[in-house]
Amino acid sequence: MAGSAGKVVVIGAGMGGLSAAIRLAHAGYEVEVVDRAPVPGGKMRTFASDAGPIDAGPTVMTLRPVFEELFDSVGAKLSDYVTLHREEVLARHWWPDGSTLDLFASREASADAVGRFAGARAEKEFRAFCRRAERLYRAFDAPMMRAAEPSQGALTRHVVTHPWLALDMAPHRSLAKALGKGFSDRRLAQLFGRYATYVGGSPFQSPALLALIWHAEEQGVWRVEGGMHRLARALEQLAHDRGVRFSFGSRATRVEIQKGAAAAVHLDSGTRLAADAVVFNGDPAALAAGLLGEGLRETVAPEAIRPRSLSAYVWSYAAVPHGPEMVHHNVFFCDDPHTEFDPIARGAMPEDPTLYICAQDRGTGRSPEGLERFEIIMNGPPVDDGTDPTDEEQETCRTRTFQTLARFGLTFDPRPGVQALTTPRQFAKLFPASDGSLYGRSPHGLTAALKRPTARTKVAGLYLAGGGTHPGAGIPMATLSGRHAAEAILTDRASLSMSPRTAMPGGISTA
């Protein structure tokens, strides 16, 4: 049956592209995935080290049912392709005053920990926050995150019919202001404010609605055995098993348009891949920049891709740690979040950063000795040029990162050199037209999520998937975007086959 339904070319082997390819191949399409990189995963990168492959991209896996549903939908089991371990400790947090707090995959355990950390009032505030985050998550999961094309009108009607949502959303407050009102202990407000960075935003500019991210994490965090890149490899293997072909090290240079519709993908090798539909799994800003053809510049509206989200300075290295006992996910907070986010807003490196560390070899029941693998993420601003990072920028980042950790008593032997660092400028080169932004459009503003492009574009037969499209950043959301793209293709192709003259998305008609 493979290929009987038509041919689809997927540009980009990130989570969104892989998800779409798997579903389309299962539906009977001939699917080919092309990617300029030598391996799948997109931003889910990895580096070699003496301790084994080190993750250099996303590190937090939540919403496991999203991945289980993908495998189930094509008659497979997630557990047959990758091994996942549920983390009992979601994350361990440190502050400069010497205080520490663990949050757990159990609300009761977390509430007890918060009570011991900051007192009975804080525990009560935390429980209230959890209930609010859960209400927001449940209210917006179906009509927003899982809807292929959410509309402001539909969401407004949803809020009108559920008036309590208006209070929970705190529409006129930023996430930081809402948390400052909800928590009397500023450390807890700072902790939950960092969830804005999960989608590339500042808590001082992101909407209070983003509190719902906490409930997604509270439902469980999983460690991927072998590292996060193994999850991308699992999807690649499932795609192979369903007949998908891959061409790695192949750069798409143009999407050919015929009679107003996508007809083929041209590669840098000179190869032309004819297609009935094309899925672009890359930053939508690349279309606006004309990187896949001048005729596609108007495909994505400017407000769908700008302003840009945060970038990051990312360290990936192997070393022996000395100091506080880490778990898999760790956060070392600065004293004042303004010293982190105010410089970023000006386009500069944080003066006093909060640092996230993934201790890749640690986790529930695991406390290794000797050489271990680490990924450190420091938030940074996007960049608007493709110049290389300067030696001064790299050394400044190295100094700030490891001097900050040393103040917590954490050191590494050996301390990594700048060759282990990826800067925003390097991300800009890795992902063309992205400005180094790792999450696509910024989440700043109450309606920012509604401005992201959806799967269908103005060009018939051209579809979008990935973290820069709806429903947004993060590996579960990118995976869902692939589902939306596949379902849009299946729906549009079915409509086309039933009508001799069909109006395609964007108002383009084909006979």
Side-chain angles (χ1 to χ4, degrees):
M1 181 177 177
S4 63
K7 171 72 179 287
V8 178
V9 175
V10 178
I11 303 172
M15 297 299 286
L18 292 170
S19 171
I22 290 165
R23 293 176 186 276
L24 291 166
H26 183 71
Y29 281 83
E30 178 186 349
V31 182
E32 183 163 356
V33 178
V34 299
D35 198 302
R36 61 188 298 194
V39 294
K43 294 185 177 73
M44 199 177 288
R45 304 176 307 141
T46 187
F47 291 121
S49 79
D50 291 340
I54 307 173
D55 285 330
T59 61
V60 181
M61 179 182 173
T62 59
L63 301 180
R64 176 174 175 162
V66 169
F67 305 96
E68 291 177 328
E69 188 278 331
L70 170 60
F71 280 75
D72 291 345
S73 72
V74 298
K77 289 184 178 181
L78 176 65
S79 58
D80 289 339
Y81 286 79
V82 67
T83 300
L84 304 178
H85 302 278
R86 184 181 175 92
E87 291 293 341
E88 294 305 317
V89 179
L90 299 179
R92 181 162 290 168
H93 309 85
W94 281 266
W95 281 267
D97 64 4
S99 58
T100 64
L101 174 65
D102 285 357
L103 293 177
F104 299 88
S106 159
R107 184 174 300 182
E108 286 302 313
S110 291
D112 289 346
V114 168
R116 293 191 300 272
F117 172 75
R121 180 181 177 183
E123 179 180 344
K124 182 178 179 180
E125 292 167 341
F126 171 74
R127 290 181 184 275
F129 172 73
C130 289
R131 292 191 295 270
R132 172 174 165 259
E134 182 174 2
R135 289 194 300 267
L136 287 171
Y137 181 90
R138 296 193 184 283
F140 287 97
D141 184 28
M144 182 65 191
M145 290 180 283
R146 296 182 190 270
E149 297 181 352
S151 71
Q152 186 165 350
L155 288 171
T156 299
R157 290 191 294 273
H158 185 66
V159 173
V160 169
T161 56
H162 301 80
W164 52 266
L165 273 176
L167 183 61
D168 282 342
M169 289 172 62
H172 302 298
R173 290 196 182 102
S174 68
L175 180 61
K177 284 186 178 179
L179 292 169
K181 181 177 176 62
F183 286 106
S184 55
D185 190 302
R186 69 179 186 89
R187 295 169 300 178
L188 294 174
Q190 183 182 18
L191 189 161
F192 292 105
R194 83 179 185 88
Y195 284 93
T197 66
Y198 276 36
V199 289
S202 160
F204 298 107
Q205 296 174 277
S206 297
L209 179 62
L210 292 189
L212 61 80
I213 297 175
W214 160 245
H215 184 68
E217 185 162 292
E218 187 185 29
Q219 294 178 71
V221 171
W222 281 265
R223 171 171 44 86
V224 181
E225 189 168 298
M228 289 292 286
H229 187 71
R230 289 291 298 273
L231 184 61
R233 287 293 193 180
L235 266 64
E236 179 197 23
Q237 185 59 57
L238 178 61
H240 272 300
D241 293 346
R242 295 300 178 270
V244 176
R245 296 199 308 274
F246 287 87
S247 296
F248 291 111
S250 298
R251 181 171 63 88
T253 58
R254 180 167 67 94
V255 175
E256 179 183 326
I257 307 298
Q258 292 185 13
K259 297 180 180 179
V265 173
H266 292 256
L267 306 181
D268 56 356
S269 63
T271 301
R272 176 184 183 273
L273 301 175
D276 297 296
V278 174
V279 177
F280 177 57
N281 175 209
D283 196 312
L287 297 178
L291 298 188
L292 287 174
E294 290 296 319
L296 298 182
R297 283 185 178 272
E298 304 302 319
T299 302
V300 180
E303 62 269 19
I305 56 176
R306 296 190 183 281
R308 303 301 287 168
S309 67
L310 298 182
S311 186
Y313 296 85
V314 178
W315 296 88
S316 300
Y317 61 95
V320 177
H322 303 282
E325 185 69 17
M326 288 182 283
V327 292
H328 194 67
H329 299 294
N330 310 269
V331 183
F332 293 84
F333 285 108
C334 61
D335 183 63
D336 180 358
H338 281 285
T339 62
E340 176 181 13
F341 292 104
D342 289 358
I344 289 176
R346 299 192 300 267
M349 187 185 304
E351 295 169 3
D352 183 17
T354 286
L355 298 173
Y356 161 82
I357 300 182
C358 177
Q360 187 174 329
D361 297 298
R362 297 185 177 227
T364 301
R366 302 178 73 196
S367 184
E369 296 181 359
L371 201 64
E372 299 180 45
R373 294 169 289 181
F374 297 95
E375 178 178 350
I376 301 178
I377 300 176
M378 178 174 76
N379 293 315
V383 296
D384 58 4
D385 63 59
T387 59
D388 291 325
T390 64
D391 292 343
E392 181 182 5
E393 178 187 17
Q394 292 175 311
E395 285 298 337
T396 298
C397 181
R398 183 170 185 256
T399 298
R400 289 187 187 174
T401 299
F402 294 101
Q403 282 188 354
T404 295
L405 294 174
R407 291 199 295 269
F408 289 92
L410 179 60
T411 59
F412 296 92
D413 184 20
R415 176 187 285 194
V418 295
Q419 70 276 5
L421 172 66
T422 306
T423 70
R425 296 187 189 280
Q426 289 166 308
F427 280 119
K429 286 182 174 292
L430 287 169
F431 305 103
S434 70
D435 293 346
S437 167
L438 298 180
Y439 312 88
R441 192 196 190 280
S442 165
H444 297 165
L446 183 62
T447 61
L450 291 169
K451 295 177 181 177
R452 286 180 177 270
T454 55
R456 290 184 175 92
T457 72
K458 296 178 181 179
V459 176
L462 177 62
Y463 302 82
L464 303 179
T469 65
H470 173 74
I475 58 172
M477 299 298 104
T479 303
L480 281 175
S481 78
R483 174 179 176 174
H484 294 330
E487 290 178 346
I489 290 172
L490 296 176
T491 300
D492 294 347
R493 295 288 297 169
S495 298
L496 187 64
S497 66
M498 289 188 292
S499 173
R501 183 174 182 85
T502 303
M504 296 298 289
I508 300 172
S509 294
T510 59

